[in-house]
Amino acid sequence: MVKRWLPWVLKGLLSAGLIWFAFRNIDLAEAWSRAKTIDPMMLTVALALGIGQIVIGAGRWWLVLRALKASFSVIQALPVFYIGVCFSIVTPVLGDAVRMWKARHSGLSLKTSVNSVMLERITTILGLVLLVTALEPLLLARVPDVPGTWVFPLLSVAGFAGIAFISQLDRLPASLHRWRVVRGLVHLAGDTRQFVRRLPFSVGTLAVAVFGHANLALMVYILAVGLKINVSLLDCLILFPPVILALTLPISIAGFGLRENIMIVAFGWVGVEAGSAAVLGLMFGLTSIVTALPGGLIWLMSGDHPKLDEIEHIEEEAEIEAEKDGMTG
C-alpha cells in the first residue's frame, strides 16, 4: 500500500512546493484580483478551444489506429480518448494507461491498444519539438539572449533517430531482450515500421500534433487577453510549447507548480511580470481541468471500471500477449 501511494503523495507535495515557490514573492491578493477580472467571453472561448483540443487529440490517435489497420472508428476513439484526458489531470502516465485499458475493453487487441497510445504520444512530442525548432528563429529575433538554443534542434534529430531505432529493435540480438523495457520496445518495433511506412497517416498524425500545440498556444493567448496581459499571439506560439513539453514529465499533479514556474521564466523574457505569468499558468491549468472533467462523466456512464492493479500492469500484460502471438505465429 505504501509503495503504491507514496509516488502520488510525493507528487502532491512537489506540486505544493512548486506552487509555493512560484507565488512566494507575488502579491496573492493582487493575483487573485487579476484572476477574478478575466473577461467571461474570453474565458468561454478558451474553454471552447480546450474542448476542441480533446477532439484534435482523439483525431490524432485515430490516425495512428488507421495506420495500424485497427477497426476502431472516430466515434469509438473520442470517448476513450476523453476518458484518458480526464485521468491525465493526475498525471499523463495514468491517463495513457487508462486509455490503453479502455481501448482494450472497447474491442482493440491489447497489443494495438498499448502500441497505438505509445506511437501517438511519441508523435505528439516529436511534433512539439519540431514546432519549437521551426519557431526558434522568431524567438531569437524577439529575445536574442535566450539560453539553450541548441536543445530543440538536437531533440528534433534525436526524435527521428529514436523512431528509427525503435523500428529496428526486433532485429537486435536476442541477448538484449532480457531487459523488460527492451522487450516492450521490441513488440513496438513492427507497429512503428507500419506506422512510418503509411505516410498519409504518419505525416497526418504529425501535422495534427503540430496543429494541436498551436491550438493550446492560442488558448493561452485568449486567456491572456481576458486577463489583460500584454502579450502577443506570436509570443504565446513561441513561448508556450516548451511549457507543454515540460508538462509531459509526470512529476506533479496536473502540472500545477511546474507550469507556473516555467511560465514565469519563459514569459518573463518578453516582459510579462511574474505575477501575471503565474496567474496565466494557473488559469490555463484550471481551464484544462474544467474541459477534461466531462471525461470522468463518460467514464462513470461506461460502467466498465478496472482495478488499479489492472491499469498498473497493462503494459506487462501486452508484452505477455505479444509473446504468445509470436509463439503461435
Side-chain angles (χ1 to χ4, degrees):
M1 183 65 68
V2 173
K3 183 179 179 182
R4 174 177 293 173
W5 290 107
L6 183 59
W8 304 108
V9 172
L10 292 176
K11 289 175 184 177
L13 291 174
L14 180 59
S15 289
L18 287 170
I19 290 174
W20 170 83
F21 187 80
F23 286 90
R24 72 193 189 286
N25 295 322
I26 293 171
D27 186 332
L28 295 181
E30 182 182 345
W32 174 241
S33 297
R34 177 181 284 274
K36 289 192 299 182
T37 60
I38 187 169
D39 185 332
M41 179 60 70
M42 292 297 101
L43 180 58
T44 301
V45 173
L47 289 169
L49 290 171
I51 295 294
Q53 184 67 23
I54 294 167
V55 176
I56 292 169
R60 186 175 60 229
W61 181 41
W62 178 73
L63 286 172
V64 176
L65 290 167
R66 286 292 307 276
L68 300 183
K69 300 181 179 180
S71 298
F72 211 63
S73 68
V74 175
I75 302 301
Q76 289 174 293
L78 180 57
V80 173
F81 186 86
Y82 212 147
I83 289 170
V85 169
C86 181
F87 279 89
S88 293
I89 292 174
V90 180
T91 175
V93 174
L94 179 61
D96 286 347
V98 171
R99 186 176 14 145
M100 293 172 185
W101 188 94
K102 195 65 180 176
R104 171 68 180 89
H105 286 259
S106 297
L108 287 178
S109 70
L110 187 54
K111 174 175 173 288
T112 300
S113 300
V114 172
N115 288 352
S116 66
V117 172
M118 293 182 70
L119 285 169
E120 185 266 329
R121 178 64 67 179
I122 290 169
T123 308
T124 301
I125 293 175
L126 178 59
L128 178 59
V129 171
L130 292 176
L131 177 62
V132 175
T133 302
L135 294 176
E136 199 163 82
L138 296 177
L139 175 61
L140 291 175
R142 186 81 164 82
V143 190
D145 298 327
V146 65
T149 55
W150 54 271
V151 172
F152 284 97
L154 182 62
L155 286 176
S156 298
V157 175
F160 285 111
I163 292 174
F165 178 70
I166 292 172
S167 70
Q168 301 301 315
L169 276 176
D170 56 349
R171 301 176 184 180
L172 292 176
S175 59
L176 297 177
H177 296 183
R178 67 180 182 275
W179 303 100
R180 180 182 169 187
V181 65
V182 173
R183 290 198 303 272
L185 292 174
V186 163
H187 298 140
L188 180 63
D191 282 345
T192 302
R193 287 197 299 272
Q194 181 173 336
F195 173 65
V196 172
R197 287 170 180 168
R198 302 196 72 189
L199 289 177
F201 296 109
S202 57
V203 174
T205 304
L206 189 60
V208 173
V210 172
F211 178 74
H213 297 314
N215 182 68
L216 288 175
L218 176 59
M219 184 175 168
V220 171
Y221 173 69
I222 293 297
L223 288 171
V225 171
L227 291 166
K228 297 179 175 61
I229 296 174
N230 186 23
V231 65
S232 70
L233 176 57
L234 182 60
D235 290 336
C236 294
L237 193 59
I238 294 172
L239 296 173
F240 192 66
V243 179
I244 303 172
L245 183 61
L247 294 180
T248 61
L249 300 174
I251 61 175
S252 65
I253 303 298
F256 283 113
L258 180 64
R259 173 182 50 248
E260 288 71 31
N261 278 282
I262 297 175
M263 288 191 72
I264 287 172
V265 175
F267 283 79
W269 288 334
V270 293
V272 178
E273 62 177 7
S276 297
V279 170
L280 180 58
L282 193 59
M283 290 301 296
F284 176 83
L286 293 174
T287 302
S288 298
I289 288 176
V290 171
T291 57
L293 285 178
L297 181 60
I298 297 172
W299 166 263
L300 292 174
M301 293 175 61
S302 68
D304 191 14
H305 306 143
K307 297 178 181 179
L308 185 58
D309 286 342
E310 294 180 81
I311 295 175
E312 289 177 343
H313 299 293
I314 189 166
E315 292 188 20
E316 183 177 339
E317 293 176 15
E319 180 183 318
I320 294 171
E321 180 184 278
E323 288 175 350
K324 287 181 178 179
D325 290 344
M327 288 186 291
T328 302

